[in-house]
Amino acid sequence: MKVKEIERTANVAWSPSSQYPVYLACGTAAQQLDATFSTKSALEVFRFNPEDPGLACAPVASVETDHRFSKVVWGSLGMDDGHASGVIAGGTDNGLVCVWDASKLVMKESDSQLLNLNKHVGSVAALDFNKFQDNLLASGGGDSEILLWDLNNPTTPMTPGAKSQPSDDVTCLSWNCQVQHILASALNSRCVVWDLRKNEPIIKISDSMSRIKSKLVTWHPEVATQLLLSSEDDHSPVIQLWDLRFAASPLKVLERHTRGILSMAWSRADPDLLISCGKDNKLLCWNPNADVVGGQITYELPVGNQWCFDVQWCPRNPHCVSACSFDGRVAVYSIMGGEMMTQPLDTTSKVLRVPLSVYLFHTPIYSLNCCCC
């Protein structure tokens, strides 16, 4: 069920789970033009409230930028101290990593931009905040370059080790959800996992049999040694589940897409939920842990006329997912259907006491009865 929509061609980031009200940051997407051939770019913030009437999200802030964005992330740095709403980081198409104070941005203060980090070559398409140290930001650009920024002292970034060879663009970075010094990177045809204590790669994953082009990597929310790799190659549009303890071949292969996969996101609130989108114009919700050959589809969300290129779960409302499409829209869907309430934050337990997958797998009213509003 579609609950909200923003008419923007943008890369987006949800506000952290402890932030209320819920916001969605939208940075004008790089390498894309609208019907007017406009070259303007901006970072905008919208308020997400599913109880508001209509599909529109209320805009709360906008700042013009000199560059368009290949990736946007929202971290919780300083939420207990100086930055009440955390920080927003954007990777641009010309090698910059720009950082804003989210609270000052929402308040429309002129000094909202904190940093302009200029060390990369090529587009910065990979960004991720460390799950344990919110001041640590990993960024990836061209020439296999990965940089680790301490946002409290960003003068000299670190590297996880020597550049991976052969040289290639870094397309995705993902910090491990259980072990704070482990970082995974995706580079076209391979995945490299780094141990920051040793400053070197500890394993390189590549499937020579299927020859997939690994564009994306994401860690299992609860199992430290498991990760997913997805391929954007139309000849092998698969998502592979790997366990680094048995890295000779993937444990499982999800095969329901018919063309290359452009984005995927694993729910941190419920490990039995994975969302993916591809060039087959499908937006699929899986149970990646189900023992079903080819993968178990639990839900297929409706999409427009153009492909979705980015999907993300909402940290505060874990039954909501955003989908950015090439037709100039950011849509927010609920996988639960019906009316929604903003989830109250419970810091002593998981966001939801009952996993979302319980409803999807055992309550027939929600199975594949999705419709657009």
Side-chain angles (χ1 to χ4, degrees):
M1 174 182 179
K2 185 189 291 185
V3 292
K4 292 294 174 184
E5 186 174 80
I6 302 169
E7 293 190 1
R8 297 289 189 276
T9 303
N11 286 296
V12 305
W14 288 98
S15 56
S17 59
S18 55
Q19 166 64 39
Y20 185 81
V22 181
Y23 293 126
L24 194 61
C26 298
T28 306
Q31 302 299 316
Q32 296 182 44
L33 291 173
D34 59 20
T36 66
F37 291 89
S38 172
T39 57
K40 293 182 179 179
S41 57
L43 177 67
E44 301 172 278
V45 178
F46 294 84
R47 179 180 176 180
F48 172 71
N49 185 354
E51 297 177 19
D52 287 344
L55 288 178
C57 284
V60 296
S62 178
V63 58
E64 290 189 5
T65 59
D66 295 329
H67 313 285
R68 296 193 167 201
F69 298 92
S70 300
K71 181 70 175 179
V72 179
V73 292
W74 195 323
S76 57
L77 174 65
M79 292 189 73
D80 297 327
D81 191 11
H83 310 300
S85 298
V87 295
I88 302 171
T92 71
D93 53 359
N94 71 332
L96 283 174
V97 178
C98 305
V99 182
W100 285 266
D101 182 319
S103 181
K104 289 185 177 182
L105 187 61
V106 169
M107 297 299 292
K108 299 179 174 62
E109 297 183 18
S110 59
D111 60 343
S112 61
Q113 186 164 353
L114 301 174
L115 298 168
N116 256 343
L117 308 174
N118 186 12
K119 294 288 185 180
H120 278 290
V121 175
S123 176
V124 180
L127 288 174
D128 195 29
F129 278 102
N130 189 283
K131 275 75 172 176
F132 300 88
Q133 295 179 255
D134 53 17
N135 62 305
L136 192 57
L137 175 67
S139 62
D143 195 27
S144 298
E145 187 172 47
I146 300 172
L147 298 177
L148 308 174
W149 305 89
D150 179 357
L151 295 186
N152 292 327
N153 184 20
T155 306
T156 305
M158 301 173 290
T159 63
K163 292 181 180 180
S164 178
Q165 299 297 328
S167 179
D168 213 334
D169 292 338
V170 181
T171 55
C172 187
L173 292 170
S174 180
W175 289 102
N176 193 284
C177 299
Q178 302 297 319
V179 185
Q180 63 180 2
H181 57 268
I182 299 298
L183 176 70
S185 59
L187 303 92
N188 194 24
S189 59
R190 64 195 185 279
C191 172
V192 181
V193 179
W194 306 83
D195 186 339
L196 301 191
R197 295 180 306 178
K198 300 178 180 180
N199 279 100
E200 64 181 22
I202 54 175
I203 193 169
K204 297 181 180 179
I205 303 172
S206 61
D207 191 345
S208 57
M209 297 297 292
S210 63
R211 297 179 181 179
I212 71 168
K213 292 184 178 179
S214 304
K215 181 185 179 183
L216 301 168
V217 58
T218 185
W219 289 98
H220 193 296
E222 296 181 352
V223 182
T225 58
Q226 291 187 3
L227 55 78
L228 290 172
L229 290 176
S230 70
S231 171
E232 66 172 346
D233 191 338
D234 289 347
H235 298 291
S236 54
V238 298
I239 300 173
Q240 296 179 331
L241 175 63
W242 291 79
D243 193 314
L244 303 187
R245 296 168 295 182
F246 321 104
S249 61
L251 288 180
K252 192 178 300 181
V253 181
L254 311 182
E255 300 177 301
R256 304 304 184 190
H257 280 287
T258 57
R259 296 187 65 188
I261 295 158
L262 297 176
S263 183
M264 65 175 175
W266 206 334
S267 172
R268 295 196 68 190
D270 187 348
D272 286 341
L273 290 177
L274 171 76
I275 195 84
S276 66
C277 62
K279 291 183 279 185
D280 54 2
N281 207 26
K282 289 183 179 180
L283 192 55
L284 303 178
C285 187
W286 314 70
N287 179 0
N289 300 309
D291 190 18
V292 176
V293 176
Q296 181 185 22
I297 301 295
T298 62
Y299 210 95
E300 182 170 354
L301 291 164
V303 293
N305 297 322
Q306 297 291 330
W307 307 339
C308 293
F309 61 86
D310 179 75
V311 288
Q312 293 187 40
W313 294 100
C314 175
R316 177 109 186 178
N317 289 39
H319 46 70
C320 290
V321 61
S322 63
C324 307
S325 64
F326 288 116
D327 60 0
R329 289 180 173 85
V330 178
V332 180
Y333 298 94
S334 168
I335 63 171
M336 299 299 290
E339 295 184 2
M340 299 190 310
M341 299 291 289
T342 300
Q343 293 293 330
L345 183 65
D346 182 354
T347 57
T348 64
S349 66
K350 288 187 176 182
V351 181
L352 289 183
R353 296 185 182 276
V354 180
L356 295 175
S357 52
V358 171
Y359 296 101
L360 289 177
F361 305 155
H362 302 293
T363 311
I365 190 172
Y366 295 122
S367 61
L368 299 178
N369 289 331
C370 185
C371 60
C372 289
C373 290

